[in-house]
Amino acid sequence: MPKLPTSNQLTMKISLGQIIETGNVRQEYDTEEIKLLADSIYKYGLINPISVKAYGEDENGIKMYELIAGHRRVRAHRYLCDIGQDYSQITACIVKGDKDILQLIENIQREDLSQVDKETAIKALVASGMSQQQIAEELSKPLGWIHDQLAGTEVRENAKAAGIDTTGMSTKALSQLASIPGAKLPEAVKKAKENGGTVKAATAVLNDYRAENGISAPKNKKKPEVKEYSAEPILIDIQNVISEIQDYQHRQNLKLDSHDNSLLNNICGDLISLFEAYQHN
């Protein structure tokens, strides 16, 4: 999964007190999840740095940073501080660009973001002036996925306006009903929800609507023929992979403390075991 670009950005440790939060796509945070994340950070360290933007200085001349991505990680560090651990410093990547767009893109890519919050974020990107093609490229998603998100969002909003509860229905399922006229759409959503709210249920409702109104389903484009072939197993030189990792580390001039070095060594050891097992099977 792609992340905010960091290759040409400065990564450094900053104080939690230097961080300013000015809003986030995510509306709610699960306290237990924050505690679990804090436990992971305590045991293994912070794997991915947070992303911030320079935000000027406070009245004492201290540099301040606006939080772009990593709200849960910041909360986990604050929780550790609250229980007596010294986690007042956090590793941050200083990024550049429009804060709102950077934040939206980062949040959309999170697996645990709710369907509604993800729909809201993508709609906001469109409202900011980005085209569907640009959004697809930024998120490394197919253009069709973006279209489904926007179509499903519109269906959900229309259903909500009509008093229809779409809780539990995915954006993909709702997008199947986008071609049904507005007057008949709420009832179609309701029926799909009653039948399980799945993509299959929504597709069945759409097919019923087409049959009742004499509408032919669009013809699918012919898929290109895929030739079968017998591929030879791919042998991986794990030592070369490790060498590349270490070379990248050197080129990026990463400064690791003893804990980070130990963690890197453990990761390399696990990689060697994993790939050797893979090649022997």
Side-chain angles (χ1 to χ4, degrees):
M1 178 183 295
K3 294 292 181 184
L4 294 176
T6 60
S7 58
N8 296 317
Q9 307 295 346
L10 174 65
T11 299
M12 57 186 289
K13 284 199 172 185
I14 62 175
S15 168
L16 294 178
Q18 293 176 269
I19 298 173
I20 297 174
E21 296 190 43
T22 57
N24 183 31
V25 172
R26 185 185 304 277
Q27 300 298 318
E28 297 180 358
Y29 295 88
D30 187 296
T31 302
E32 291 304 315
E33 286 187 0
I34 297 299
K35 290 180 180 179
L36 289 174
L37 178 57
D39 184 58
S40 175
I41 292 173
Y42 180 75
K43 290 179 179 178
Y44 307 110
L46 183 65
I47 305 301
N48 295 314
I50 63 172
S51 297
V52 298
K53 276 189 65 177
Y55 199 72
E57 299 179 350
D58 66 5
E59 61 274 11
N60 298 315
I62 298 175
K63 289 185 177 180
M64 303 300 290
Y65 298 92
E66 183 178 22
L67 183 60
I68 304 298
H71 292 72
R72 293 174 68 251
R73 282 162 277 175
V74 168
R75 281 162 172 73
H77 271 67
R78 287 174 177 161
Y79 171 77
L80 288 169
C81 290
D82 289 342
I83 62 174
Q85 301 296 325
D86 184 11
Y87 279 79
S88 59
Q89 299 282 314
I90 188 169
T91 305
C93 178
I94 316 300
V95 299
K96 299 178 181 179
D98 183 273
K99 186 268 290 188
D100 292 332
I101 292 179
L102 289 171
Q103 192 174 76
L104 287 168
I105 290 172
E106 170 70 15
N107 277 280
I108 289 170
Q109 294 175 108
R110 296 194 64 85
E111 295 296 336
D112 56 349
L113 192 68
S114 73
Q115 289 278 351
V116 175
D117 282 344
K118 186 173 293 187
E119 293 168 10
T120 301
I122 293 176
K123 186 176 179 180
L125 287 177
V126 173
S128 74
M130 293 181 69
S131 68
Q132 292 187 36
Q133 182 64 47
Q134 288 174 319
I135 297 171
E137 291 173 358
E138 288 291 343
L139 298 176
S140 297
K141 295 285 189 180
L143 186 58
W145 185 86
I146 303 298
H147 175 76
D148 284 344
Q149 292 293 312
L150 294 172
T153 301
E154 186 174 354
V155 171
R156 193 185 300 277
E157 291 176 349
N158 288 341
K160 182 179 179 180
I164 307 298
D165 181 18
T166 59
T167 302
M169 293 188 71
S170 70
T171 314
K172 178 68 174 179
L174 291 168
S175 71
Q176 305 304 302
L177 306 172
S179 62
I180 297 178
K184 298 183 178 181
L185 183 58
E187 187 60 32
V189 174
K190 182 179 179 181
K191 185 176 179 180
K193 177 72 180 293
E194 291 173 348
N195 292 337
T198 62
V199 172
K200 182 178 180 180
T203 302
V205 170
L206 175 61
N207 290 337
D208 288 345
Y209 169 78
R210 286 171 174 165
E212 292 170 0
N213 292 274
I215 302 173
S216 299
K219 295 181 179 180
N220 293 325
K221 294 182 180 178
K222 185 178 180 181
K223 296 182 178 180
E225 181 181 354
V226 179
K227 296 182 179 180
E228 295 184 0
Y229 65 95
S230 178
E232 293 295 326
I234 300 174
L235 298 180
I236 301 172
D237 185 348
I238 183 58
Q239 294 297 341
N240 185 55
V241 174
I242 298 300
S243 177
E244 288 292 333
I245 293 174
Q246 293 171 335
D247 181 57
Y248 172 80
Q249 174 188 335
H250 176 72
R251 285 186 285 108
Q252 294 298 316
N253 193 27
L254 298 177
K255 296 180 180 179
L256 304 178
D257 57 27
S258 59
H259 176 272
D260 290 331
N261 270 316
S262 176
L263 180 61
L264 180 61
N265 289 334
N266 289 338
I267 292 174
C268 290
D270 290 342
L271 281 173
I272 292 173
S273 299
L274 177 64
F275 278 96
E276 285 182 343
Y278 170 78
Q279 292 185 84
H280 286 133
N281 290 331

